[in-house]
Tab-separated table of all heavy atoms in Angstrom:
chain	number	residue	atom	x	y	z
A	1	MET	N	21.577	12.844	18.632
A	1	MET	CA	21.643	14.182	18.199
A	1	MET	C	23.090	14.793	18.277
A	1	MET	O	23.785	14.388	19.161
A	1	MET	CB	20.675	15.090	18.979
A	1	MET	CG	19.289	14.676	18.850
A	1	MET	SD	18.320	15.907	19.858
A	1	MET	CE	16.721	15.546	19.060
A	2	THR	N	23.383	15.699	17.354
A	2	THR	CA	24.649	16.339	17.387
A	2	THR	C	24.382	17.803	17.471
A	2	THR	O	23.429	18.251	16.866
A	2	THR	CB	25.619	15.992	16.225
A	2	THR	OG1	24.901	16.378	15.053
A	2	THR	CG2	25.848	14.458	16.221
A	3	ASP	N	25.278	18.539	18.173
A	3	ASP	CA	25.182	19.899	18.079
A	3	ASP	C	25.948	20.471	16.830
A	3	ASP	O	26.595	19.728	16.138
A	3	ASP	CB	25.662	20.696	19.275
A	3	ASP	CG	27.127	20.459	19.596
A	3	ASP	OD1	27.854	20.471	18.668
A	3	ASP	OD2	27.649	20.406	20.765
A	4	GLU	N	25.816	21.733	16.506
A	4	GLU	CA	26.373	22.259	15.259
A	4	GLU	C	27.859	22.285	15.177
A	4	GLU	O	28.440	22.254	14.135
A	4	GLU	CB	25.775	23.647	15.067
A	4	GLU	CG	26.124	24.654	16.097
A	4	GLU	CD	25.206	25.864	16.057
A	4	GLU	OE1	24.072	25.721	15.907
A	4	GLU	OE2	25.735	26.959	16.207
A	5	ASN	N	28.492	22.130	16.348
A	5	ASN	CA	29.958	22.120	16.350
A	5	ASN	C	30.597	20.680	16.388
A	5	ASN	O	31.717	20.443	16.136
A	5	ASN	CB	30.575	22.920	17.603
A	5	ASN	CG	30.185	24.311	17.504
A	5	ASN	OD1	30.191	24.885	16.422
A	5	ASN	ND2	29.898	24.920	18.660
A	6	GLU	N	29.687	19.701	16.541
A	6	GLU	CA	30.097	18.196	16.633
A	6	GLU	C	30.058	17.726	15.233
A	6	GLU	O	29.139	17.854	14.450
A	6	GLU	CB	29.209	17.503	17.631
A	6	GLU	CG	29.725	16.111	17.831
A	6	GLU	CD	28.886	15.421	18.817
A	6	GLU	OE1	28.256	16.177	19.670
A	6	GLU	OE2	28.858	14.230	18.754
A	7	ARG	N	31.063	17.009	14.886
A	7	ARG	CA	31.233	16.262	13.568
A	7	ARG	C	30.621	14.883	13.726
A	7	ARG	O	30.766	14.292	14.774
A	7	ARG	CB	32.668	16.111	13.201
A	7	ARG	CG	33.283	17.522	12.936
A	7	ARG	CD	34.636	17.430	12.326
A	7	ARG	NE	34.414	16.673	10.947
A	7	ARG	CZ	35.294	16.654	10.092
A	7	ARG	NH1	36.428	17.192	10.213
A	7	ARG	NH2	35.038	16.047	8.955
A	8	PRO	N	29.900	14.499	12.646
A	8	PRO	CA	29.313	13.080	12.530
A	8	PRO	C	30.507	12.064	12.716
A	8	PRO	O	31.562	12.325	12.219
A	8	PRO	CB	28.605	13.017	11.274
A	8	PRO	CG	28.455	14.346	10.767
A	8	PRO	CD	29.545	15.102	11.387
A	9	ARG	N	30.245	10.923	13.308
A	9	ARG	CA	31.189	9.937	13.351
A	9	ARG	C	31.450	9.479	11.892
A	9	ARG	O	30.543	9.275	11.126
A	9	ARG	CB	30.600	8.785	14.218
A	9	ARG	CG	30.515	9.045	15.634
A	9	ARG	CD	29.881	8.022	16.551
A	9	ARG	NE	30.209	6.812	16.005
A	9	ARG	CZ	29.365	5.755	15.723
A	9	ARG	NH1	28.074	5.955	15.762
A	9	ARG	NH2	29.744	4.556	15.291
A	10	PRO	N	32.655	9.014	11.538
A	10	PRO	CA	32.945	8.512	10.250
A	10	PRO	C	32.063	7.287	9.925
A	10	PRO	O	31.642	7.022	8.786
A	10	PRO	CB	34.349	8.157	10.277
A	10	PRO	CG	34.963	8.902	11.369
A	10	PRO	CD	33.879	9.135	12.339
A	11	GLU	N	31.723	6.435	10.793
A	11	GLU	CA	30.937	5.268	10.736
A	11	GLU	C	29.586	5.705	10.240
A	11	GLU	O	28.835	4.895	9.525
A	11	GLU	CB	30.914	4.338	11.969
A	11	GLU	CG	32.154	3.749	12.363
A	11	GLU	CD	33.132	4.683	13.224
A	11	GLU	OE1	32.750	5.952	13.388
A	11	GLU	OE2	34.126	4.258	13.762
A	12	ASP	N	29.034	6.809	10.860
A	12	ASP	CA	27.739	7.169	10.434
A	12	ASP	C	27.636	7.716	8.952
A	12	ASP	O	26.794	7.304	8.152
A	12	ASP	CB	27.227	8.364	11.254
A	12	ASP	CG	26.906	7.859	12.741
A	12	ASP	OD1	26.734	6.773	12.972
A	12	ASP	OD2	27.082	8.734	13.721
A	13	ASP	N	28.752	8.358	8.583
A	13	ASP	CA	28.896	8.790	7.176
A	13	ASP	C	28.994	7.614	6.265
A	13	ASP	O	28.310	7.511	5.202
A	13	ASP	CB	29.986	9.734	6.964
A	13	ASP	CG	29.836	11.161	7.624
A	13	ASP	OD1	28.641	11.509	7.780
A	13	ASP	OD2	30.808	11.895	7.745
A	14	ALA	N	29.831	6.661	6.701
A	14	ALA	CA	29.950	5.493	5.931
A	14	ALA	C	28.637	4.659	5.632
A	14	ALA	O	28.428	4.239	4.584
A	14	ALA	CB	31.048	4.526	6.406
A	15	ALA	N	27.951	4.638	6.767
A	15	ALA	CA	26.652	3.927	6.727
A	15	ALA	C	25.697	4.693	5.825
A	15	ALA	O	25.010	4.042	4.969
A	15	ALA	CB	26.019	3.817	8.145
A	16	ARG	N	25.519	6.035	5.787
A	16	ARG	CA	24.754	6.745	4.969
A	16	ARG	C	25.137	6.421	3.495
A	16	ARG	O	24.376	6.225	2.648
A	16	ARG	CB	24.727	8.242	5.251
A	16	ARG	CG	24.084	8.471	6.551
A	16	ARG	CD	24.279	10.044	6.868
A	16	ARG	NE	23.499	10.804	5.744
A	16	ARG	CZ	23.908	12.046	5.647
A	16	ARG	NH1	24.777	12.734	6.444
A	16	ARG	NH2	23.214	12.844	4.673
A	17	LEU	N	26.514	6.499	3.245
A	17	LEU	CA	26.944	6.287	1.840
A	17	LEU	C	26.620	4.819	1.381
A	17	LEU	O	26.175	4.586	0.346
A	17	LEU	CB	28.441	6.546	1.690
A	17	LEU	CG	28.801	8.061	1.779
A	17	LEU	CD1	30.290	8.151	1.861
A	17	LEU	CD2	28.187	8.773	0.648
A	18	GLY	N	26.770	3.885	2.366
A	18	GLY	CA	26.450	2.439	2.036
A	18	GLY	C	25.000	2.257	1.598
A	18	GLY	O	24.579	1.591	0.718
A	19	LEU	N	24.115	3.025	2.431
A	19	LEU	CA	22.644	2.822	2.166
A	19	LEU	C	22.314	3.659	0.818
A	19	LEU	O	21.483	3.172	0.037
A	19	LEU	CB	21.883	3.511	3.255
A	19	LEU	CG	21.935	2.734	4.517
A	19	LEU	CD1	21.226	3.398	5.603
A	19	LEU	CD2	21.345	1.316	4.343
A	20	VAL	N	23.145	4.657	0.435
A	20	VAL	CA	22.958	5.383	-0.860
A	20	VAL	C	23.232	4.346	-1.955
A	20	VAL	O	22.472	4.243	-3.007
A	20	VAL	CB	23.723	6.709	-0.978
A	20	VAL	CG1	23.841	7.066	-2.406
A	20	VAL	CG2	23.141	7.693	-0.033
A	21	VAL	N	24.277	3.578	-1.760
A	21	VAL	CA	24.703	2.653	-2.804
A	21	VAL	C	23.659	1.476	-2.976
A	21	VAL	O	23.342	1.105	-4.116
A	21	VAL	CB	26.127	2.042	-2.400
A	21	VAL	CG1	26.470	0.740	-3.251
A	21	VAL	CG2	27.161	3.094	-2.535
Side-chain angles (χ1 to χ4, degrees):
M1 296 186 165
T2 59
D3 65 35
E4 57 198 46
N5 295 325
E6 188 175 333
R7 295 188 60 163
R9 294 175 33 237
E11 293 85 351
D12 294 331
D13 286 344
R16 287 179 62 202
L17 290 170
L19 293 173
V20 164
V21 167

